[in-house]
Amino acid sequence: MSDLLKLGVLISGSGSNLQSIIDHIEKGSLGARISIVVSNNPEAYGLTRAEKAGIPCAVLDHRTFAGREAFDRELIRVLKDAGADLIVLAGFMRILTGAFLQAFDQRIINIHPALLPAFPGTHVQQKALDYGVKFSGCTVHFVDEGVDTGPIIIQAVVPVLPGDTADTLASRILKEEHKIYPQAIRYFAEGRVVKNGRRVEISSVRSDDGAALHNPPLDR
Ligand code: GRF
């Protein structure tokens, strides 16, 4: 078990991305294990998912801390005690301090429900609809000091369809999140992530130079 990548997964809510990681691990398709799930929200449904899977959980309710620094100090302690190698933000709705970024330098990743650098921040499905883009998607990226600005590891492109609402678009995007987050973690588990400044290269990937998407589709 010791050669498995140890994940510390941070959540605030439903935890469907956490569930997808759990499912991939249980299928045996990820050389990783979750050593701890931490939630800042005691009501997060993701905690129930983790408990069902027998994964240790911690609740750090941010409202009970004096400030961001104190919260992050405890978060660092809990994650280090659990031996986490890679910190996986899965719907974690807190901004992390510089101290946290330093403690896990280059070892923190996040998933965001838009095609970064378009639409960072929150309510991004509605923003994508309002802007009128024909494609949105999701992005797994390294976490840096900005909001959703870190180097990009993998993205999935999702079409915006006529009649879409923020909810229908969000659920189409979420399906792809559940594919790309486990994939990104597998890249780390297999030691295939090479970061050169902003550019992240993944070793041994197939590349398809003819891949292009059109939305609406081209007339036949
Ligand atoms: C996802 O859309 C993720 O991209 C965003 O927050 C949502 C979390 O969903 N950061 P879940 O808690 O994993 O279901």
Side-chain angles (χ1 to χ4, degrees):
M1 235 79 153
S2 57
D3 55 341
L4 294 177
L5 184 74
K6 295 195 279 305
L7 310 177
V9 182
L10 308 191
I11 61 166
S12 298
S14 147
S16 71
N17 276 290
L18 165 66
Q19 187 67 56
S20 145
I21 296 164
I22 292 171
D23 293 346
H24 280 77
I25 289 174
E26 287 180 353
K27 269 193 309 197
S29 66
L30 266 188
R33 71 182 172 91
I34 302 176
S35 31
I36 192 157
V37 168
V38 186
S39 175
N40 67 307
N41 169 14
E43 310 295 327
Y45 181 64
L47 288 167
T48 307
R49 298 181 192 269
E51 276 156 18
K52 278 192 188 148
I55 298 165
C57 296
V59 175
L60 301 186
D61 185 341
H62 58 280
R63 294 166 299 189
T64 64
F65 288 82
R68 240 176 242 292
E69 284 70 22
F71 176 82
D72 277 11
R73 257 197 309 278
E74 182 61 4
L75 190 55
I76 293 167
R77 192 192 64 72
V78 167
L79 290 165
K80 294 245 172 189
D81 279 0
D85 302 311
L86 183 70
I87 310 303
V88 177
L89 310 188
F92 185 63
M93 300 304 285
R94 302 274 306 162
I95 306 263
L96 295 162
T97 60
F100 189 90
L101 299 183
Q102 268 169 30
F104 296 100
D105 188 35
Q106 313 296 326
R107 293 185 293 135
I108 312 169
I109 60 176
N110 182 42
I111 189 151
H112 180 75
L115 272 186
L116 291 171
F119 312 118
T122 54
H123 307 296
V124 295
Q125 296 89 352
Q126 188 61 52
K127 286 176 188 162
L129 289 177
D130 292 346
Y131 196 93
V133 291
K134 297 298 186 198
F135 287 104
S136 188
C138 44
T139 304
V140 178
H141 62 93
F142 280 98
V143 174
D144 66 8
E145 53 292 332
V147 176
D148 303 321
T149 53
I152 292 170
I153 299 162
I154 183 170
Q155 295 185 299
V157 178
V158 171
V160 177
L161 299 181
D164 256 342
T165 63
D167 283 347
T168 58
L169 180 58
S171 70
R172 198 173 316 113
I173 291 173
L174 202 53
K175 278 196 193 137
E176 297 306 314
E177 294 186 39
H178 297 162
K179 297 176 195 166
I180 67 170
Y181 222 1
Q183 174 68 76
I185 292 166
R186 186 177 307 113
Y187 292 151
F188 281 92
E190 294 177 353
R192 293 164 63 193
V193 181
V194 183
K195 187 170 161 298
N196 274 321
R198 280 215 60 89
R199 287 178 176 224
V200 179
E201 303 271 348
I202 307 299
S203 53
S204 312
V205 281
R206 281 177 294 118
S207 59
D208 180 358
D209 62 7
L213 299 169
H214 312 91
N215 185 33
L218 301 179
D219 289 343
R220 285 183 204 278

